[in-house]
Amino acid sequence: MDSSRGSSGYLLLVGSVVAVAVVYAVLVPRHAGGGDESRALLYIVVGWVPFTLTFYAIGRLFSSPSALPSMQAADAGLALFLVSLLLSLGLEAWGVPPEQLPEAYVLQAIGIFVGLAFFGWAVGRRSKAITQHARETRR
């Protein structure tokens, strides 16, 4: 990996970690505690993008795929994300809002974030393998 590509990967990793920290350590608590739960929920959903990008950068920087990896981890991550999201929406549709019983949403929240992490890591790993293969074929 040449230095410009390596530094851009680390820049993406640092930038996305900072964005995740700002969203989940500053913005969400500020609005969740202030009675503006709809804005806190918006920030949580927006925070999914830098969270996924963090694991994409980790997959690009710290994996060493020898061949083109399958996308099964990305498929599993996407499935876990969607099922967890649908279960959360189903709980609310059945009359159990998060304000009433937040403990009921913990497993779904964990599933959402684990699914996004798997998805980002798998896509980053696959992207690195494609880049390595393209470099080898150019030689």
Side-chain angles (χ1 to χ4, degrees):
M1 182 186 301
D2 63 18
S3 63
S4 67
R5 291 192 193 276
S7 63
S8 66
Y10 285 108
L11 186 62
L12 175 64
L13 179 60
V14 170
S16 58
V17 167
V18 167
V20 167
V22 166
V23 167
Y24 292 113
V26 177
L27 295 174
V28 171
R30 178 182 302 159
H31 293 285
D36 194 7
E37 287 81 16
S38 63
R39 183 158 304 232
L41 180 62
L42 174 67
Y43 285 130
I44 288 172
V45 172
V46 167
W48 291 346
V49 174
F51 183 82
T52 306
L53 282 175
T54 298
F55 283 92
Y56 170 82
I58 290 170
R60 284 277 302 182
L61 292 170
F62 303 112
S63 68
S64 54
S66 58
L68 194 61
S70 72
M71 292 299 287
Q72 289 178 343
D75 293 342
L78 190 57
L80 182 59
F81 168 77
L82 290 174
V83 167
S84 298
L85 187 61
L86 287 174
L87 286 173
S88 291
L89 294 172
L91 275 176
E92 188 152 0
W94 289 327
V96 183
E99 299 85 20
Q100 195 176 57
L101 190 61
E103 298 84 14
Y105 288 83
V106 170
L107 286 177
Q108 290 90 343
I110 292 170
I112 286 171
F113 283 97
V114 169
L116 289 172
F118 273 136
F119 181 76
W121 175 78
V123 171
R125 188 169 181 245
R126 176 98 171 189
S127 176
K128 183 175 184 175
I130 291 170
T131 302
Q132 286 175 345
H133 179 71
R135 283 193 190 134
E136 290 171 3
T137 57
R138 275 191 264 160
R139 292 183 188 173

